[in-house]
């Protein structure tokens, strides 16, 4: 009886069509099966690795050593013909991409320096985990790479990498692997200073002549120093007497965060559902829903009587707890499990929502939010959220090309 063993064949060289076909054709004449295969192209350099084992059903009792020697002789000749290099090693069996303790570690930086990535990979090793693969996701608007890691605990590795990421001035996201990662997802975003730049109430306050006072209360609320509902009512009260036509002016002043349209367009094209939940006002969010084609929306409503803001609100206030409740409601309506939801926000009133979601992303957030969220993004491009989800820049561009083709 032969002891079960495997052989790793690694072929490297200039990439061109037919390399993998020739190698697999060479292997096909031997009584072996493929237990793992990986191919990566970096610039024009190909790395192709195949783990094989002897097929006992086809060749029972055959010497594994003899079969592997014959394989090496044949592969050596093939790679010489191809002008490639080959190496051999002992394979360690199939890599189960969806097994337990497998994680995706996404790194974003502008620029991404070798020293920073080296420090992060060292951190993974110190945590007792192994990096099975590193793949580039994007070069624009930031450089992002994804590492497939095995043998790590998600919470422990996330905590260790967060410390190192802060030191290296990069962003890191750690997520469990699994088929659900590319399943149906619901993305729910905050609006002010997340989907759009700035705070709507401050734009309104500028027209009402109370901008400085409102900005001060807003800042205290976002840092968690004030109860959100109390602070909101204080700020709205300062708008009393403002002509309702000012809202239309503010709508025209609103600027989307860079990358917002790209993110929404890409995720919609890939089958995601998107919602917004805001401590701001339906008079603004309803327009955003229409412009961007969003699926879900919830916000507070300014009270208007006889064409004038009264300084009050209509109905219950969507506060910190209300945002989390709304996320759960959206998920139930979409038929998406909470673990397949992603919440994005920047302020303290987003924390319950970020913690309730399967993945909570702090986007250019206050320190208290960055410390408690699953991951943080500190570059000014909202479409970098797509990279955290494992979507490559090439997929984003393909979605854009598809949309353009449909428009003709």
């Amino acid at each position: 009886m032969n002891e079960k063993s495997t052989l790793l064949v690694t072929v490297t060289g200039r990439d061109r069509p037919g390399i993998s076909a020739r190698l697999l054709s060479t292997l096909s004449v031997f009584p072996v099966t493929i237990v793992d295969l990986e191919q990566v192209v970096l610039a024009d350099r190909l790395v192709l690795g195949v783990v094989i084992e002897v097929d006992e059903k086809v060749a029972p009792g055959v010497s594994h050593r003899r079969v592997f020697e014959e394989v090496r002789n044949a592969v050596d000749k093939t790679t010489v013909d191809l002008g490639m290099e080959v190496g051999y090693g002992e394979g360690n069996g199939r890599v189960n991409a969806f097994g337990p303790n497998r994680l995706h570690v996404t790194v974003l930086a502008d620029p991404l320096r070798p020293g920073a990535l080296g420090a992060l990979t060292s951190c993974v090793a110190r945590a007792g985990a192994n990096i099975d693969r590193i793949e580039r996701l994007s070069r624009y608007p930031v450089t992002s790479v994804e590492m497939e890691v095995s043998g790590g605990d998600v919470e422990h590795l996330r905590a260790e990498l967060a410390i190192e990421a802060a030191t290296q001035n990069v962003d890191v996201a750690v997520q469990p692997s699994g088929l659900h990662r590319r399943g149906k997802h619901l993305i729910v975003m905050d609006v002010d200073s997340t989907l759009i730049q700035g705070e709507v109430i401050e734009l309104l306050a500028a027209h009402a002549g109370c901008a400085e006072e409102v900005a001060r209360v807003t800042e205290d609320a976002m840092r968690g120093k004030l109860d959100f509902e109390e602070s909101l009512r204080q700020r709205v009260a300062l708008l009393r007497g403002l002509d309702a036509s000012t809202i239309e002016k503010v709508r025209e002043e609103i600027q989307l965060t860079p990358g917002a349209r790209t993110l929404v367009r890409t995720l919609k094209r890939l089958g995601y559902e998107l919602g917004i939940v805001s401590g701001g006002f339906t008079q603004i969010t309803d327009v955003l829903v229409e412009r961007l084609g969003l699926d879900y929306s919830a916000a507070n409503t300014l009270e208007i009587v006889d064409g004038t803001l009264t300084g009050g609100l209509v109905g219950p206030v969507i506060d910190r707890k209300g945002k989390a409740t709304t996320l759960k409601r959206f998920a139930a309506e979409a038929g998406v499990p909470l673990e397949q939801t992603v919440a994005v926000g920047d302020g303290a009133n987003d924390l319950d929502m970020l913690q309730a979601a399967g993945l909570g992303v702090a986007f250019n957030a206050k320190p208290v939010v960055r410390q408690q969220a699953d991951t943080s993004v500190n570059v000014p491009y909202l479409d970098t959220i797509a990279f955290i989800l494992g979507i490559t820049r090439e997929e984003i561009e393909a979605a854009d090309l598809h949309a353009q083709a449909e428009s003709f």
Side-chain angles (χ1 to χ4, degrees), residues 200-396:
V200 167
I201 196 166
E202 293 182 9
L203 296 175
L204 290 168
H207 290 277
C210 55
E212 291 186 6
E213 189 172 355
V214 165
R216 185 169 59 254
V217 178
T218 298
E219 183 68 14
D220 288 344
M222 291 300 98
R223 291 185 180 278
K225 295 181 179 179
L226 290 177
D227 171 78
F228 179 78
E229 179 173 352
E230 179 185 358
S231 70
L232 179 63
R233 293 191 181 278
Q234 286 182 16
R235 289 173 289 169
V236 171
L238 294 170
L239 304 178
R240 182 178 180 179
L242 188 65
D243 194 290
S245 63
T246 306
I247 294 175
E248 183 59 37
K249 296 178 183 177
V250 168
R251 289 172 182 160
E252 296 175 358
E253 293 170 0
I254 287 174
Q255 295 184 358
L256 292 173
T257 297
R261 287 189 183 278
T262 300
L263 177 68
V264 171
R265 182 172 60 244
T266 301
L267 295 182
K268 293 289 289 183
R269 178 64 58 186
L270 295 177
Y272 290 70
E273 296 198 24
L274 288 91
I276 52 176
V277 56
S278 176
F281 313 114
T282 56
Q283 286 89 348
I284 300 298
T285 57
D286 288 350
V287 174
L288 293 171
V289 170
E290 182 179 351
R291 290 178 183 174
L292 298 174
L294 303 174
D295 301 292
Y296 305 95
S297 175
N300 299 304
T301 300
L302 292 166
E303 184 179 54
I304 300 174
V305 176
D306 296 329
T308 302
L309 273 65
T310 67
L313 297 166
V314 177
V317 168
I318 294 180
D319 57 6
R320 177 169 166 169
K321 291 182 179 179
K323 285 194 170 187
T325 300
T326 302
L327 168 73
K328 295 173 183 178
R329 175 166 62 85
F330 288 170
E333 293 176 7
V336 174
L338 270 179
E339 60 267 23
Q340 289 177 216
T341 62
V342 179
V344 186
D346 73 299
N349 63 316
D350 296 314
L351 273 173
D352 286 8
M353 176 177 72
L354 299 183
Q355 292 168 351
L359 177 67
V361 181
F363 181 74
N364 292 305
K366 308 299 184 292
V368 66
V369 183
R370 292 199 303 268
Q371 292 166 8
Q372 297 185 48
D374 294 322
T375 189
S376 63
V377 172
N378 297 299
V379 293
Y381 311 108
L382 194 60
D383 51 344
T384 56
I385 302 298
F387 307 140
I388 292 176
L389 302 177
I391 299 168
T392 67
R393 188 70 206 179
E394 286 76 12
E395 288 176 293
I396 293 175

Side-chain angles (χ1 to χ4, degrees), residues 41-117:
V41 177
L42 184 63
D44 64 347
R45 185 79 175 176
L46 175 143
V47 179
L48 172 61
V50 184
V51 178
I52 59 173
E53 66 182 13
V54 174
D55 189 346
E56 293 284 354
K57 294 181 181 179
V58 174
V62 71
S63 167
H64 290 193
R65 176 175 296 181
R66 179 178 176 182
V67 171
F68 289 156
E69 285 179 355
E70 293 176 352
V71 166
R72 283 195 291 265
N73 289 335
V75 171
D76 284 345
K77 294 178 181 178
T78 298
T79 52
V80 168
D81 290 343
L82 293 171
M84 308 288 283
E85 299 176 1
V86 63
Y88 303 98
E90 183 178 347
N92 58 359
R94 174 179 289 275
V95 175
N96 182 1
F98 303 111
N101 298 323
R102 291 194 60 83
L103 307 170
H104 289 275
V105 177
T106 309
V107 182
L108 302 94
D110 182 25
L112 178 58
R113 303 189 186 282
L117 191 57

